[in-house]
């Protein structure tokens, strides 16, 4: 908390008439479509729900999509993002399927990216605020409309407030609530609380749409040759994306339960503010964020199992 926002002006829609953002989102969209449809085959289940919510929502209502994370880290040291960040291959390629408005800069999602990797200097900061792609033996990354996040900075850091502002504007934000990549065919990992805090703190509760995908771990495997990832995305792989239905949250009731639960538990203080709409103290916030995260986890895990049945049907 207290840190300024990294080159926020470059992320504004009216920066240079919006031309740089539109150009790079167009390039990112072309890359996503090529990887998803030309180099590989992508099957999407229930795409109409995602497309409808991206294109048309009630005025002022934000969209918050959440998904698992299967593509590799941006470097060879196994570094993972600690909150809900992304600059991996599954984003933006998961938006590259046929029929999705991949190249529309106005409809493109906002996403969080690690500040110490993507925003380490002014050139990278500017590019990632707009969008950038790069290929090198140690990294493959392609992103746009990025919000920097400080790893270890907690859920009340200044850039999380920026993400909250995007939701307050009724925008679309995508998060990876697991907080790290998992290329194993295993249950969804325990979710970090960053996504839950955004849901609870947003002035208007966002539409929360779960998405689970499979196949990106084969397009960009963590260990390919000599324990390293390939320099470029692999081809002739199957990508399956399963879109769920929006998750309903009864936040007033959940907040009441959180207050009750917090009276029976003890935890160390992190100095959190009373930052939710319901004026909860830190102990109650932790209970609330845990409950929201658990509800999302259950839905994502069920969606993962549903996706496994789709995979068997496609084989």
């Amino acid at each position: 908390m207290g840190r300024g926002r990294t080159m926020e002006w470059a992320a504004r829609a009216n920066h240079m008439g919006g031309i740089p953002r539109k150009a790079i989102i167009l390039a990112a969209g072309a890359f996503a479509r090529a990887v998803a449809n030309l180099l590989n085959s992508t099957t999407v289940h229930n795409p109409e729900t995602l497309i409808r919510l991206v294109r048309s929502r009630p005025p002022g209502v934000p969209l918050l999509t959440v998904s698992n994370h299967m593509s590799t880290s941006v470097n060879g040291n196994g570094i993972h993002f600690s909150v809900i960040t992304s600059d991996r291959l599954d984003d933006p390629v998961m938006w590259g399927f046929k029929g999705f408005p991949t190249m529309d800069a106005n409809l493109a999602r906002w996403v969080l990216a690690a500040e110490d990797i993507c925003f380490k200097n002014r050139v990278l900061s500017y590019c990632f605020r707009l969008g950038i792609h790069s290929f090198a033996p140690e990294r493959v990354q392609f992103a746009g409309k990025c919000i920097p996040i400080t790893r270890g900075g907690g859920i009340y850091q200044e850039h999380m407030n920026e993400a909250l502002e995007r939701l307050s504007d009724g925008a679309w934000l995508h998060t990876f609530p697991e907080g790290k990549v998992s290329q194993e065919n295993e249950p969804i990992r325990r979710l970090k609380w960053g996504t839950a805090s955004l849901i609870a703190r947003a002035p208007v509760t966002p539409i929360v749409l779960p998405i689970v995908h499979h196949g990106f771990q084969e397009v960009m495997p963590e260990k390919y040759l000599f324990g390293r990832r390939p320099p470029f995305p692999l081809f002739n792989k199957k990508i399956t994306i399963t879109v769920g239905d929006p998750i309903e949250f009864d936040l007033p009731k959940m907040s009441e339960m959180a207050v009750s639960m917090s009276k029976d538990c003890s935890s160390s203080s992190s100095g959190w503010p009373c930052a939710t709409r319901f004026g909860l103290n830190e102990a109650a916030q932790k209970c609330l964020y845990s409950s929201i995260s658990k509800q999302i986890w259950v839905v994502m895990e069920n969606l993962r199992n549903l996706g496994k049945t789709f995979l068997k049907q496609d084989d």
Side-chain angles (χ1 to χ4, degrees):
M1 292 184 287
R3 291 189 56 184
R5 299 181 182 182
T6 304
M7 211 171 286
E8 184 183 13
W9 53 268
R12 295 170 185 162
N14 61 357
H15 171 59
M16 295 182 66
I19 295 175
R21 175 188 289 181
K22 290 178 180 178
I24 293 182
I25 292 295
L26 185 68
F31 168 82
R33 288 189 176 183
V35 174
N37 304 306
L38 298 180
L39 299 181
N40 301 281
S41 62
T42 299
T43 302
V44 184
H45 301 276
N46 192 29
E48 58 276 2
T49 296
L50 174 62
I51 295 174
R52 173 175 55 84
L53 291 175
V54 168
R55 286 191 177 278
S56 178
R57 298 187 299 280
V61 177
L63 173 63
L64 179 60
T65 51
V66 295
S67 76
N68 59 323
H69 219 344
M70 296 202 78
S71 68
T72 62
S73 308
V74 296
N75 59 36
N77 299 320
I79 293 177
H80 302 296
F81 301 162
S82 61
V83 186
I84 42 175
T85 62
S86 168
D87 64 351
R88 278 92 170 198
L89 186 69
D90 39 16
D91 181 296
V93 176
M94 64 188 295
W95 318 120
F97 62 87
K98 296 177 181 178
F100 190 81
T102 311
M103 300 183 184
D104 191 325
N106 294 323
L107 296 179
R109 88 287 173 266
W110 289 89
V111 68
L112 304 184
E115 186 176 38
D116 61 329
I117 295 176
C118 303
F119 296 82
K120 64 175 60 177
N121 58 51
R122 293 187 62 83
V123 174
L124 285 178
S125 295
Y126 180 75
C127 291
F128 270 97
R129 278 300 199 175
L130 296 172
I132 190 171
H133 73 279
S134 67
F135 295 102
E138 74 279 5
R139 66 177 60 188
V140 175
Q141 55 195 47
F142 205 131
K145 295 175 75 171
C146 295
I147 300 172
I149 201 76
T150 303
R151 296 187 293 180
I155 62 177
Y156 284 107
Q157 61 180 277
E158 182 58 32
H159 287 304
M160 285 292 284
N161 292 335
E162 183 180 348
L164 184 63
E165 288 177 8
R166 300 289 77 77
L167 293 177
S168 301
D169 293 338
W172 169 26
L173 176 70
H174 182 73
T175 72
F176 295 87
E178 290 175 289
K180 62 167 58 178
V181 167
S182 175
Q183 295 203 329
E184 306 299 326
N185 186 20
E186 297 177 345
I188 300 295
R189 294 173 180 264
R190 176 185 174 276
L191 305 187
K192 307 292 185 180
W193 286 352
T195 296
S197 73
L198 292 174
I199 295 171
R201 295 169 62 196
V204 176
T205 303
I207 299 172
V208 181
L209 187 68
I211 303 171
V212 172
H213 51 74
H214 183 275
F216 287 109
Q217 77 281 6
E218 297 179 2
V219 177
M220 184 57 64
E222 183 75 29
K223 297 180 180 180
Y224 181 64
L225 288 174
F226 307 107
R228 298 180 63 85
R229 69 187 55 77
F232 301 101
L234 302 182
F235 58 91
N236 200 28
K237 306 297 182 182
K238 290 184 178 181
I239 300 171
T240 301
I241 301 173
T242 307
V243 180
D245 295 319
I247 306 174
E248 299 289 339
F249 296 97
D250 188 344
L251 290 182
K253 182 177 180 179
M254 295 178 74
S255 297
E256 291 179 5
M257 294 180 62
V259 171
S260 178
M261 292 169 57
S262 66
K263 296 177 182 178
D264 300 325
C265 64
S266 60
S267 62
S268 59
S269 175
S270 303
W272 290 1
C274 293
T276 69
R277 284 177 282 163
F278 310 100
L280 303 183
N281 62 26
E282 182 174 330
Q285 287 180 60
K286 290 180 178 179
C287 292
L288 176 60
Y289 299 161
S290 178
S291 297
I292 294 174
S293 296
K294 183 176 181 180
Q295 186 174 343
I296 297 173
W297 181 91
V298 169
V299 173
M300 290 182 65
E301 180 60 18
N302 290 338
L303 208 58
R304 187 185 74 90
N305 290 324
L306 179 61
K308 289 168 64 176
T309 64
F310 291 144
L311 285 173
K312 292 179 180 179
Q313 294 172 4
D314 294 339
D315 289 340

